[in-house]
Amino acid sequence: MSTGEMSFSRPFEIGRKAEISIRLSEFEIPPIQDVLVVGKKAPIGPEAVKRMVDALSPEQYVVIRLEHDVFEAAVLKKSLLKFIPQDKLLPIILKECSAIATEDSVIKAQLNIVVQVNKVVDL
Amino acid sequence: MTTVENIMNRRIITASPFDSVRKAAEMMNEFKVGCLPVIESGQLVGIITSRDIRCSHPNRLVIDAMSKDLITVTPSCSIWDAAEIVERYKIERLVVAEDGKLLGIVTKLELYHELGKHFDTLTGLNKAEYLYYITGKLIRNNIALSIVFIDLDGFGEVDKKYGHIIGDEVLYRVANIIKAHVDEKLDYPCRYAGDEFAVVTVRPASTVKEYALKIVNAIASYNWDGGMKITASAGVVNCQPAIKSDCDIREFVNIASLASTKAKKKGVPVFTVFCNKE
């Protein structure tokens, strides 16, 4: 062996492997469920949200622009507003979202609204 | 009169409302501009500035980041009105548009560069074009005005006898005397040309002759160096005209100029002309 040449006392094999795992699930249509609240510095703005919901679920959502410290817009499922008016529902949602969100956030919310009716009738 | 049309930049880089903020930022870097007007279907719908970009997520659409409350001017806006708008709204760039169509952009720097050309550095007064601008503006706003046209008597002799350096010093001091008689809410002075000065004023017409006389007397009674005798004559024109064009405004200024010549000929300090072009 001449000077300067490298030698290995034990040859080794080079092997490359890839492991693939796949999770399949159904894409929800619409993907935003009942409510979406958009922060002022969120990666998506009100106009983009509007276009998204109009394309994915035409006429099912209403986009409300907000004058709020943290949030810029809220998207509400129109059918919810048949149960409870917007002016009652929105403050509740914003109050809860404010507790957990920042200006950068987009919060998705699922709502269960149960309307209880008690009526008394004369017998 | 110099308008924003004369100085605006017509080659404008624009953005679409549905470009991303990231793309808008890249365009601003590439073309070295501080803002991009946003155009949709040929109409100007907003403007995205470097500040909007700093405050927005790069994934956002331009339409969700741009400023929608646009401050625009028409091409015929004077550079003085444009400067007033720039100062009032504290903006760096002014969009020039007409009927919703984008025509150009003027930066604050370009605007002040142009304004500097209409400013007399010797006296610290605006030049003649300002006189036309302010006269036109007051007339368009239906405000009665007068022009006091002040012409130094025999000023050519001062230059010949004492030299142009002393002559310039006299002009500087006359300007200061005029400035001392200016109420910023009522009077708009300028150096019209050479040894001629003018003050557009909205003082009551009945008081303007007396006002002109005060200035002329102040010039004559000033303690001029080396026993120089400096006097001036003033022409006053009071007017509530139905002036419709720049041509009429120039004629109006000319009447004031001729009135100062009449004052000289008649040997009176102030000669007044009433002008009503109804």
Side-chain angles (χ1 to χ4, degrees):
Chain A
M1 188 170 67
S2 62
T3 311
E5 284 183 2
M6 292 180 74
S7 70
F8 299 97
S9 57
R10 207 156 38 110
F12 62 89
E13 287 177 13
I14 298 171
R16 298 178 73 207
K17 288 180 183 174
E19 192 178 307
I20 299 170
S21 80
I22 303 173
R23 268 179 75 189
L24 300 172
S25 64
E26 197 176 2
F27 181 70
E28 282 178 63
I29 301 283
I32 64 171
Q33 296 177 347
D34 297 325
V35 177
L36 199 70
V37 183
V38 181
K40 280 183 166 175
K41 292 183 180 174
I44 184 168
E47 190 60 35
V49 167
K50 184 175 182 303
R51 282 168 186 268
M52 179 184 78
V53 296
D54 284 350
L56 292 175
S57 317
E59 293 154 26
Q60 288 182 43
Y61 289 87
V62 58
V63 179
I64 302 153
R65 287 177 187 267
L66 305 171
E67 293 294 326
H68 191 272
D69 292 342
V70 181
F71 303 115
E72 192 172 0
V75 183
L76 302 178
K77 201 173 193 175
K78 279 183 182 171
S79 58
L80 289 174
L81 301 177
K82 291 198 170 183
F83 282 78
I84 181 165
Q86 182 185 310
D87 59 330
K88 296 266 191 260
L89 180 60
L90 204 52
I92 297 166
I93 293 166
L94 293 180
K95 189 183 171 193
E96 294 307 320
C97 287
S98 295
I100 56 163
T102 65
E103 285 187 328
D104 303 321
S105 310
V106 181
I107 302 288
K108 184 168 82 169
Q110 195 171 2
L111 268 70
N112 287 318
I113 299 174
V114 177
V115 178
Q116 284 190 348
V117 179
N118 289 317
K119 283 192 177 180
V120 177
V121 291
D122 290 331
L123 294 174
Chain B
M1 186 169 60
T2 309
T3 62
V4 291
E5 189 172 21
N6 303 123
I7 59 168
M8 70 184 184
N9 186 353
R10 289 177 167 81
R11 294 182 64 193
I12 315 153
I13 313 298
T14 61
S16 151
F18 307 109
D19 285 335
S20 68
V21 168
R22 183 182 287 108
K23 185 182 172 189
E26 285 168 2
M27 286 163 72
M28 284 163 72
N29 277 338
E30 185 183 343
F31 295 104
K32 295 183 172 46
V33 290
C35 70
L36 298 171
V38 183
I39 305 291
E40 185 178 19
S41 307
Q43 293 287 301
L44 180 66
V45 292
I47 190 165
I48 185 156
T49 65
S50 47
R51 186 178 180 280
D52 295 327
I53 282 177
R54 283 198 301 279
C55 295
S56 303
H57 193 284
N59 189 63
R60 278 199 170 208
L61 295 178
V62 163
I63 196 169
D64 283 329
M66 70 185 188
S67 310
K68 294 185 181 85
D69 296 330
L70 264 180
I71 296 156
T72 63
V73 293
T74 59
S76 60
C77 176
S78 80
I79 52 171
W80 290 279
D81 283 335
E84 197 182 307
I85 291 167
V86 160
E87 289 302 328
R88 192 189 316 150
Y89 295 104
K90 296 182 174 26
I91 49 178
E92 294 298 316
R93 297 161 200 87
L94 201 48
V95 175
V96 186
E98 198 155 44
D99 301 328
K101 296 257 188 273
L102 175 69
L103 301 173
I105 280 191
V106 179
T107 66
K108 189 175 176 180
L109 196 67
E110 288 163 344
L111 203 50
Y112 277 86
H113 178 74
E114 188 61 30
L115 281 173
K117 295 178 187 171
H118 300 284
F119 186 77
D120 180 44
T121 50
L122 172 67
T123 60
L125 293 173
N126 285 299
K127 292 184 185 172
E129 199 167 356
Y130 177 75
L131 179 82
Y132 297 121
Y133 153 71
I134 200 73
T135 305
K137 186 177 179 178
L138 293 170
I139 286 166
R140 279 193 299 278
N141 291 325
N142 213 20
I143 297 170
L145 64 105
S146 301
I147 294 180
V148 179
F149 202 92
I150 302 155
D151 191 359
L152 298 187
D153 299 330
F155 184 72
E157 290 304 312
V158 174
D159 273 344
K160 281 180 195 164
K161 192 171 175 185
Y162 299 98
H164 283 82
I165 300 294
I166 301 297
D168 284 351
E169 184 64 27
V170 168
L171 292 173
Y172 171 74
R173 291 188 190 189
V174 167
N176 283 348
I177 292 168
I178 292 171
K179 282 181 204 170
H181 287 78
V182 163
D183 179 333
E184 283 184 6
K185 289 178 186 158
L186 302 174
D187 311 315
Y188 307 90
C190 80
R191 182 184 178 193
Y192 189 79
D195 61 336
E196 293 156 342
F197 297 84
V199 183
V200 176
T201 180
V202 294
R203 290 166 189 266
S206 58
T207 67
V208 179
K209 186 177 179 184
E210 193 186 329
Y211 172 65
L213 198 58
K214 270 186 187 171
I215 296 174
V216 168
N217 286 342
I219 293 169
S221 61
Y222 186 80
N223 187 18
W224 296 100
D225 297 338
M228 270 191 297
K229 188 168 168 55
I230 306 292
T231 58
S233 303
V236 173
V237 58
N238 303 131
C239 199
Q240 287 185 307
I243 288 177
K244 294 281 189 286
S245 67
D246 281 357
C247 184
D248 287 338
I249 293 167
R250 285 179 186 276
E251 192 187 323
F252 180 41
V253 173
N254 205 39
I255 293 168
S257 160
L258 291 172
S260 75
T261 310
K262 271 196 180 163
K264 278 188 208 296
K265 282 184 183 167
K266 286 179 176 284
V268 294
V270 180
F271 187 83
T272 303
V273 175
F274 290 92
C275 178
N276 210 325
K277 293 182 65 129
E278 289 292 351

